[in-house]
């Protein structure tokens, strides 16, 4: 390699380096994806709890004059209430904490 070649390579490397007077701007991270699709949730219930839920749904169906009320609708509304009712949230939190501490 000649001196001219070395000088050209050094100049090329120097031009790729960041200048001291320029700001170090890191690339911005991609935006966080927000989940928009429904999320499937499954849980195991005791036979008694399941019977109670089904009986409650059957009672609601009679009140509404419908053949049935889906138990998933009842569970979704319970979750909605948990988010909107601070007193309910506190009662549920106390029950959950008592159970997981045992």
């Amino acid at each position: 390699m000649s001196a001219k070649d070395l000088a050209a390579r050094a100049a090329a490397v120097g031009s790729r380096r960041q200048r001291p007077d320029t700001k170090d701007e890191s690339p911005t991270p991609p935006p966080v994806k927000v989940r928009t699709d429904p999320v499937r949730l499954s849980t195991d219930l005791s036979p008694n709890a399941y019977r109670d839920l089904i009986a409650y749904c059957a009672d609601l169906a009679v009140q509404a004059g419908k053949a049935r009320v889906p138990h998933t609708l009842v569970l979704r509304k319970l979750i909605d209430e948990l988010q909107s009712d601070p007193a309910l949230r506190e009662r549920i939190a106390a029950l959950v904490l008592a159970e997981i501490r045992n």
Side-chain angles (χ1 to χ4, degrees), residues 13-60:
V13 169
S15 68
R16 284 183 282 187
R17 287 190 183 147
Q18 189 172 358
R19 305 278 184 235
D21 58 338
T22 60
K23 293 181 181 177
D24 180 24
E25 294 185 22
S26 301
T28 58
V32 176
K33 280 187 160 183
V34 176
R35 186 185 294 256
T36 57
D37 293 332
V39 177
R40 181 163 298 278
L41 176 69
S42 62
T43 187
D44 296 324
L45 298 176
S46 70
N48 286 339
Y50 183 70
R51 273 192 297 276
D52 291 345
L53 177 60
I54 297 304
Y56 180 76
C57 292
D59 289 343
L60 285 178

